[in-house]
Amino acid sequence: MNIKKKLRSVLPASWIRSLSILRNPCLLHKTYGQRLAPFLRVSAGAHASDVDTLKARLRMYAHILEKGIRRRDFEPGHGSAIHSQAITCLARLACNDDESVRWARAIVAEYEVLQRGAPTHKFSPPHASPLTAEQSLAFLQSRSSCRDLSDAPVPEDAFLQMAEAAQQAATSCNRQTLRMFCASGNEAALGLLGCFKGFTGFGRGVQAGIVFAVDLRPYDFPRELFVPAVDSSLGVQNAVMQAHAIGLSVTLLSWGNSTPADEEKLRRLAGIPDYCLILVGAVVGFPLSNPEKPARMPARDILRIIRSGK
Ligand SMILES: Cc1cc2nc3c(=O)[nH]c(=O)nc-3n(C[C@H](O)[C@H](O)[C@H](O)COP(=O)(O)O)c2cc1C
């Protein structure tokens, strides 16, 4: 038994946590390796020709071209390298179409027309939010994680609405890499959520669960190591708020305490491919009561404003 395991078997857990020496990466290189495994797998390049990788890269190239042609000081003659990469993706995708591919194809066509000196884009006036600032904040403040859930079935349409809301979130270079693996019904939900150590205190009547994951294929590592987590978390928040609007409560579950055995089981149960990074789980259900929302530290305390001329 190695020294780490020996110390762990004799010392109380709290001591282990405070003995930061035991968190030294040299001692934990295996655990770091396990956490980085999905990134390393994708970096090997095995998925570069996958249809979804090509689609995400095409969205990225079209996004870059669009930024160029939407500039008020637009001039032809820029972006040719990106244009040829977009063309290559389009050729390799052939008829693998969806709305985002059709959008990208239209941007590429517009870029080509503008290179020949055609009139530039007409700017439409900004549109106002349907919610007032007060309504928006009240909506956000009214959400909380409820672990007191009814055993009423969760309609599968709720997953689609949550996915629709998630797709409205911003993603870096418009890559759209969030993936949702949903369990519908008590048995499937308990099976999936049972892989999360934090799935405690919810009772056995849970009717729905989700695993949020992110497709790592269209990113460049290690340069973009943390970008997938940002891209997908924005979508997760939208999905949680849409569920709230439907009348459902979503409690997220950390994946931070998972073991390789948990990972293997969850990927098998939910059919999560190895190029997806598992991010967070979610318990979904109709709340039976309204839990008190844990107090927030004052917003001013998370804020620092850098003023001009200061
Ligand atoms: C990434 C993440 C992981 C979480 N993991 C768990 C968990 O494992 N079990 C749990 O009961 N709640 C979990 N939560 C819910 C938090 O405990 C909860 O969001 C926090 O206490 C704030 O309460 P509120 O959501 O009601 O505002 C998690 C939340 C996040 C964002």
Side-chain angles (χ1 to χ4, degrees):
M1 185 194 276
N2 67 27
I3 176 160
K4 201 173 65 176
K5 280 211 171 94
K6 202 168 265 140
L7 281 174
R8 283 180 189 281
S9 64
V10 293
L11 293 176
S14 56
W15 283 37
I16 299 293
R17 273 196 294 278
S18 60
L19 276 176
S20 56
I21 186 171
L22 287 172
R23 310 219 63 75
N24 183 306
C26 305
L27 283 175
L28 291 175
H29 61 83
K30 208 162 141 227
T31 314
Y32 275 94
Q34 281 152 6
R35 294 288 180 226
L36 289 172
F39 298 90
L40 302 174
R41 278 197 295 267
V42 166
S43 304
H47 298 284
S49 309
D50 294 2
V51 167
D52 284 346
T53 311
L54 292 170
K55 282 185 179 177
R57 290 221 174 251
L58 173 63
R59 286 191 290 267
M60 177 170 77
Y61 300 135
H63 155 74
I64 298 168
L65 291 178
E66 191 196 26
K67 269 182 76 174
I69 61 176
R70 295 280 177 271
R71 292 171 60 129
R72 285 190 182 269
D73 59 354
F74 165 77
E75 281 167 11
H78 302 279
S80 56
I82 296 289
H83 172 254
S84 52
Q85 287 182 320
I87 293 293
T88 308
C89 281
L90 280 169
R92 293 173 69 186
L93 281 169
C95 51
N96 277 297
D97 246 357
D98 67 21
E99 278 116 84
S100 72
V101 172
R102 285 191 285 280
W103 164 82
R105 192 175 283 118
I107 295 289
V108 170
E110 187 181 349
Y111 169 88
E112 290 162 356
V113 169
L114 288 173
Q115 299 317 301
R116 299 193 289 274
T120 51
H121 172 74
K122 296 241 169 320
F123 291 91
S124 49
H127 53 236
S129 157
L131 294 181
T132 65
E134 294 72 28
Q135 289 167 332
S136 165
L137 191 56
F139 175 53
L140 296 170
Q141 285 168 335
S142 65
R143 179 215 61 82
S144 59
S145 302
C146 178
R147 298 173 183 81
D148 179 25
L149 301 173
S150 96
D151 56 9
V154 173
E156 291 193 4
D157 175 62
F159 297 136
L160 188 57
Q161 286 195 47
M162 291 170 73
E164 184 58 49
Q167 278 298 86
Q168 305 318 313
T171 52
S172 62
C173 289
N174 188 32
R175 280 176 281 196
Q176 305 178 26
T177 49
L178 179 70
R179 301 290 179 266
M180 292 168 60
F181 299 84
C182 305
S184 178
N186 182 245
E187 193 194 335
L190 292 184
L192 192 96
L193 297 169
C195 298
F196 292 81
K197 299 273 186 309
F199 180 52
T200 54
F202 292 88
R204 306 302 294 167
V206 171
Q207 294 294 324
I210 302 176
V211 177
F212 290 99
V214 58
D215 183 346
L216 296 176
R217 294 173 292 183
Y219 295 94
D220 297 331
F221 299 120
R223 183 172 63 81
E224 295 189 293
L225 199 61
F226 302 109
V227 178
V230 178
D231 279 352
S232 40
S233 297
L234 300 173
V236 172
Q237 174 65 5
N238 276 17
V240 169
M241 294 315 297
Q242 186 64 21
H244 178 49
I246 300 171
L248 288 161
S249 172
V250 173
T251 301
L252 298 175
L253 298 177
S254 175
W255 189 234
N257 306 318
S258 63
T259 64
D262 297 328
E263 172 120 10
E264 193 275 323
K265 183 175 174 197
L266 186 57
R267 284 187 186 277
R268 181 167 36 77
L269 269 178
I272 302 173
D274 68 359
Y275 52 72
C276 276
L277 176 72
I278 297 170
L279 281 168
V280 70
V283 184
V284 184
F286 291 102
L288 283 174
S289 58
N290 184 31
E292 224 174 284
K293 192 173 175 102
R296 286 342 194 223
M297 56 193 278
R300 282 200 173 286
D301 292 1
I302 69 166
L303 198 57
R304 178 154 184 269
I305 302 176
I306 297 95
R307 293 190 173 82
S308 307
K310 289 278 183 214

